[in-house]
Amino acid sequence: MHPSPVRLTVALALSLWACNAAAQDADIDKVRAATAKLIGLLVDQGVLARDKAEVLLNEVARPATPLAANPGAGASKAGAPGTVRVPYIPEFVRKELKEELRSELAAQAAREGWAAPGSVPDWTRGLKWDGDLRARYQFDNFSPDNAPAVSVTETNRTRAVTLRNTTEDRHRLRIRARLGLTATVDDNWSAGVRLTTGSTTDPISSNQTLGVYNNRYTVAFDRAYVRYSSGENFNAVAGRFGNPWYGTDLLWANDLSFDGVAAQWTPRLTSTIRGFATLAAMPVQEVELGAADKWLFGAQVGATLPGAANGIGGKVGIGYFHYSRLLGQPSPAGSTINEFTAPQFAQKGNTYYNISSDPNRPLLGLASEYRLLNLTGQVDFPALAGKRVVLTGDFVRNLGFDRSAVSQRVGVDVEPKTNAYHLRVAFGSAEVKARHDWQAFMA
C-alpha cells in the first residue's frame, strides 16, 4: 500500500525541515543519511520520480547555512535568544501542495454544490426576497338587534343609498399571499417592491375571500419605494412604503401602506434608551385642481427602552396627524364641481352629509375636519417559561371637530364623539418574528 500524495509531500517537507533544523547539532550526518535512505526507498517503490529525488538529494547534501548570530558576541550553537528558524521547502513541493489543496477544494465544492467562481453576478448579492402565505377562517358575528347602517363607499360608488350588513352572521375562508424584493445598492441606497393579494378597492386589507366561481385572485403592487439610510440613526423613504408610525390598529390598519415621503431620526439618548422622530407628507388623493389635493401631514416623537432577558422594556410615542382638504364640499345647484371632495373609501363611523346637487344621486362627504392627537405606550416584562407580558395602551382625540360647524352642515345637532382608546394585554414572545415565536392576546 503506497502512501497518499498528500502524506508523501508532508513527509518529504518534514524530512527537509529536520535536516536544516538540525544543522547545528552533532548528529547532522545521521539525519542526512536517514533522509537520503528514505528518498531512495521512495524511488525504489515508484512513489517518487527519480528527477525529483535528485533535487531532494542535492538539498540534503548541501552544507547547512549557519543561523544568524554575531561572531563577536560568542553566540552559542543553539543561536542567540529570539532566533527564528525557517524551514526551507523546495518550489516543486510547494506546487504539489497547492495542486493537492485545489483538488480537495474542487471535490468538496462538487459534493456540497458550491457556486463556481463568476457564476453568480455580483449585483445579485444585494437582493433579498421575503414573503408569507396565510390561510384563515373568519367569522363575523352580528346581533340581530343592530340598527341599519349606510355603506358610504358603496353609496358613493353606485350613487344610490346602499346599506351595509349589520345583522347577518358571515362565514368566510380567506387567504393572503405577499412576495417582496429588496435591493441594496450600497451602504446608503436601497429599493423595494412587494406584490400582494386583496381587492384594489380596499386599501386596509390584503385578504382575498375564497368563493369567486374559481376565478383568479387580484394581485397588485403594495410596495414600491426608494430608501436612503445614513448609519443607524437616519433614513428617508419615498414612494409607497410600510407604516412609518408607531401605534396600534386603533388608528392604522395592519395591512395599510402609505404613499409619499417620510424621514425618521433615531438618536441614542442614553446607553439603553433610543429616541425616534418621524416626519411625513402623504398624498391621500391627487386631483386635477392642484390646490385641491388631499394630504396627510404627520409628526411623531418618542423613545424606546429595549427589554432585557430579565428586565422591563417599554416604548412611548406622541404624534399629531393633520388631514388637509378632506372636508366634503357641496356642489352648487346643477353642478358637479365639488364631487371630488367625497371620499373614495370609508369605514364605519364618522359623520357624513350629502354634498350632491342632485337629490336622486346622493354623494356623501365628511362633515368634520380631522386633526388627530395620538398617544401610544407599551410596557413588557418577563413572565413564566421565558415568555413576556406586554401591556399596550393607545388614545386618540380629534382636535378638528367643531360642533357648531358640523351640526350646520348635517342639519341636526351632532354630539361630539372625538375620543377613542385601545387597551391590549398579551402573553408570549414580545414580537412574533421567528420560528416558534407565539403570542396570545386580548384587546
Side-chain angles (χ1 to χ4, degrees), residues 365-383:
L366 287 164
S368 173
E369 301 279 7
Y370 287 84
R371 313 282 187 264
L372 306 180
L373 180 65
N374 179 223
L375 177 63
T376 308
Q378 177 179 294
V379 60
D380 64 275
F381 49 88

Side-chain angles (χ1 to χ4, degrees), residues 175-196:
I175 194 167
R176 184 186 72 180
R178 300 186 296 191
L179 179 63
L181 174 64
T182 303
T184 301
V185 180
D186 54 31
D187 292 339
N188 301 115
W189 292 96
S190 62
V193 293
R194 189 174 76 175
L195 291 171
T196 182

Side-chain angles (χ1 to χ4, degrees), residues 133-138 170 172-178 196-202 204-220 255:
L133 180 65
R134 181 182 72 187
R136 79 180 188 192
Y137 163 72
Q138 181 174 327
R170 189 175 185 184
R172 283 183 287 178
L173 294 176
R174 313 195 81 186
I175 194 167
R176 184 186 72 180
R178 300 186 296 191
T196 182
T197 53
S199 170
T200 57
T201 60
D202 185 356
I204 67 169
S205 177
S206 298
N207 292 302
Q208 174 73 48
T209 299
L210 280 64
V212 288
Y213 274 85
N214 296 324
N215 203 351
R216 299 170 183 83
Y217 299 152
T218 301
V219 176
D255 285 350

Side-chain angles (χ1 to χ4, degrees), residues 80-98:
T83 299
V84 178
R85 298 170 182 257
V86 181
Y88 173 76
I89 301 177
E91 179 64 26
F92 79 90
V93 177
R94 291 199 295 268
K95 289 183 178 179
E96 286 187 354
L97 285 171
K98 187 184 298 183

Side-chain angles (χ1 to χ4, degrees), residues 18 37 87 108 115 159 162 165 169 171 173 207 214 224 227 236 238 365 373 383 389 393 420 438:
K37 186 176 181 180
Q108 184 178 359
R159 302 302 296 269
T162 304
N165 175 32
D169 293 346
H171 304 263
L173 294 176
N207 292 302
N214 296 324
R227 185 181 300 276
L373 180 65
V389 173
W438 62 269

Side-chain angles (χ1 to χ4, degrees), residues 56-374:
L56 290 174
L57 289 172
N58 290 336
E59 291 292 335
V60 172
R62 189 177 65 179
T65 302
L67 295 174
N70 185 350
S76 66
K77 291 175 61 178
T83 299
V84 178
R85 298 170 182 257
V86 181
Y88 173 76
I89 301 177
E91 179 64 26
F92 79 90
V93 177
R94 291 199 295 268
K95 289 183 178 179
E96 286 187 354
L97 285 171
K98 187 184 298 183
E99 290 300 325
E100 290 293 339
L101 181 59
R102 183 180 290 111
S103 299
E104 286 294 327
L105 289 175
Q108 184 178 359
R111 290 193 305 269
E112 300 180 3
W114 297 2
S119 62
V120 179
D122 289 340
W123 62 267
T124 62
R125 304 183 190 280
L127 300 181
K128 180 182 178 182
W129 292 93
D130 64 90
D132 61 83
L133 180 65
R134 181 182 72 187
R136 79 180 188 192
Y137 163 72
Q138 181 174 327
F139 171 48
D140 300 320
N141 179 238
F142 295 97
S143 168
D145 299 326
N146 285 341
V150 174
S151 171
V152 176
T153 301
E154 286 302 305
T155 296
N156 288 351
R157 186 181 67 85
T158 62
R159 302 302 296 269
V161 175
T162 304
L163 299 181
R164 66 167 59 247
N165 175 32
T166 59
T167 57
E168 294 294 330
D169 293 346
R170 189 175 185 184
H171 304 263
R172 283 183 287 178
L173 294 176
R174 313 195 81 186
I175 194 167
R176 184 186 72 180
R178 300 186 296 191
L179 179 63
L181 174 64
T182 303
T184 301
V185 180
D186 54 31
D187 292 339
N188 301 115
W189 292 96
S190 62
V193 293
R194 189 174 76 175
L195 291 171
T196 182
T197 53
S199 170
T200 57
T201 60
D202 185 356
I204 67 169
S205 177
S206 298
N207 292 302
Q208 174 73 48
T209 299
L210 280 64
V212 288
Y213 274 85
N214 296 324
N215 203 351
R216 299 170 183 83
Y217 299 152
T218 301
V219 176
F221 277 101
D222 181 52
R223 304 274 174 86
Y225 62 86
V226 176
R227 185 181 300 276
Y228 173 81
S229 301
S230 179
E232 61 175 11
N233 293 335
F234 177 81
N235 79 89
V237 61
R240 182 170 178 82
F241 45 86
N243 186 356
W245 313 112
Y246 165 59
T248 71
D249 56 5
L250 173 69
L251 202 55
W252 315 113
N254 293 328
D255 285 350
L256 182 64
S257 293
F258 291 84
D259 301 333
V261 293
Q264 187 173 67
W265 180 44
T266 56
R268 186 168 292 282
L269 303 180
T270 69
S271 59
T272 56
I273 299 177
R274 182 178 291 276
F276 63 89
T278 306
L279 295 174
M282 302 168 171
V284 176
Q285 181 183 355
E286 189 274 336
V287 295
E288 290 188 23
L289 306 174
D293 292 345
K294 302 175 184 179
W295 286 82
L296 166 60
F297 301 100
Q300 186 181 51
V301 295
T304 303
L305 173 64
N310 297 315
I312 296 178
K315 189 171 186 178
V316 63
I318 183 169
Y320 175 72
F321 306 102
H322 182 107
Y323 281 94
S324 175
R325 304 188 185 96
L326 255 65
L327 184 66
Q329 302 289 341
S331 296
S335 172
T336 60
I337 191 172
N338 290 330
E339 289 192 350
F340 71 90
T341 62
Q344 296 180 352
F345 174 78
Q347 296 195 84
K348 300 176 182 178
N350 300 311
T351 302
Y352 298 87
Y353 73 115
N354 187 11
I355 62 173
S356 174
S357 62
D358 184 351
N360 296 319
R361 301 182 71 248
L363 188 66
L364 303 180
L366 287 164
S368 173
E369 301 279 7
Y370 287 84
R371 313 282 187 264
L372 306 180
L373 180 65
N374 179 223

